[in-house]
Amino acid sequence: MDFLNLTLPTAPNNLALDEALLLAAEAEEGGEVLRFWEWPAPAVVLGSACRLAHDVDEVACRADGVPLLRRSSGGGTVLLGRGCLCYSLVLSYARAPALAEIPTSYVYILERVLAALDGLLPELSRQGTSDLASAGRKFSGNAQQRKRAHVLHHGTLLYAFDLAQVGRYLRAPERQPKYRAQREHDDFLVNLPVGAEELKRRLRVEWGAAEEASVWPEERVCRLVAEKYQKPDWTRRR
């Protein structure tokens, strides 16, 4: 598996790169990859089916210049920013039978992520559909986009994130996992106690991502940004 440690200059480009890596693998122009990136300022990213008006305090975002974006995968709306490491995996279904179905693929992938993070916090566990938590407090949300032969699985790892800002820009989700117990964002979330480089090292070891990729699908990224990610009608479609 290749390793790509790359944050592009714009937030739409970073979202596009995840999808471009998946499409490249599907076209047999790329393979399995583990990517890391981190956006240095607050940015709201909706899941593909999320409703902007339900999830986001748009007045607060506009007042503070926080951009609104939408990704191609499912899952809930998230706030990115400094101290929130994004990781992306493009995996072939041929790697493991569990990857062929959504529920079993989450188990397979998230159990490996938990193994990589072992010992960092007490009572690490999978929670809800696609969360990782410590003693009932969430530090990772995850989502997927699936194609014929590959899955894009990406998620967040909170490690030095300003938890208090989440409630300023995001509303409490209408659908909540049972373990959340109606808690506000800053009481529900928790940071991992190590830095980004240690998190990257642990995940690289767990997934055997030894080779650093020297190329990435630049043309696909440009095309996806122009056709989708920078268009208001994509972001505001729901």
Side-chain angles (χ1 to χ4, degrees):
M1 178 185 293
D2 284 341
F3 161 63
L4 184 62
N5 187 34
L6 179 61
T7 300
L8 295 175
T10 75
N13 282 55
N14 282 292
L15 297 179
L17 178 52
D18 276 356
E19 185 175 6
L21 291 169
L22 173 64
L23 295 176
E26 282 289 292
E28 300 184 355
E29 297 169 2
E32 293 189 320
V33 62
L34 170 63
R35 178 199 173 201
F36 296 108
W37 66 282
E38 183 172 341
W39 195 242
V44 169
V45 180
L46 294 106
S48 60
C50 289
R51 295 186 179 276
L52 193 155
H54 291 182
D55 291 356
V56 180
D57 187 331
E58 195 168 355
V59 173
C61 289
R62 190 180 303 114
D64 295 349
V66 174
L68 304 178
L69 306 126
R70 188 181 294 273
R71 62 182 183 269
S72 58
S73 63
T77 299
V78 298
L79 180 70
L80 304 183
R82 192 175 303 280
C84 175
L85 179 67
C86 300
Y87 77 95
S88 312
L89 284 158
V90 173
L91 300 174
S92 168
Y93 298 147
R95 166 182 280 267
L99 292 172
E101 302 291 338
I102 295 173
T104 54
S105 68
Y106 274 123
V107 174
Y108 173 83
I109 294 168
L110 294 180
E111 285 295 332
R112 294 196 63 169
V113 175
L114 284 177
L117 304 177
D118 185 48
L120 292 182
L121 284 173
E123 300 178 46
L124 296 179
S125 64
R126 290 183 290 107
Q127 294 288 344
T129 301
S130 56
D131 292 351
L132 296 178
S134 165
R137 298 185 69 181
K138 176 180 173 179
F139 61 82
S140 176
N142 297 266
Q144 292 185 359
Q145 181 182 2
R146 304 175 69 84
K147 294 294 187 182
R148 179 185 56 82
H150 295 81
V151 57
L152 165 64
H153 176 108
H154 50 194
T156 54
L157 293 169
L158 303 178
Y159 71 93
F161 196 62
D162 180 0
L163 304 179
Q165 69 182 337
V166 180
R168 173 162 173 77
Y169 304 119
L170 301 187
R171 305 186 193 281
E174 293 183 335
R175 297 178 60 188
Q176 300 186 10
K178 185 176 180 180
Y179 85 103
R180 179 165 181 155
Q182 301 299 315
R183 285 174 288 175
E184 297 296 329
H185 293 294
D186 53 352
D187 289 329
F188 175 55
L189 302 172
V190 67
N191 280 306
L192 292 162
V194 295
E197 294 309 312
E198 175 63 9
L199 294 174
K200 294 175 188 178
R201 185 193 68 79
R202 284 170 172 254
L203 286 175
R204 285 186 68 183
V205 170
E206 176 64 30
W207 289 99
E211 291 292 325
E212 187 157 8
S214 58
V215 296
W216 50 277
E218 297 184 53
E219 290 186 9
R220 286 184 186 272
V221 169
C222 292
R223 186 162 63 250
L224 286 167
V225 169
E227 295 174 353
K228 181 191 295 186
Y229 289 100
Q230 70 178 6
K231 287 195 169 184
D233 60 350
W234 164 251
T235 302
R236 310 187 70 88
R237 69 185 187 128
R238 292 176 64 87

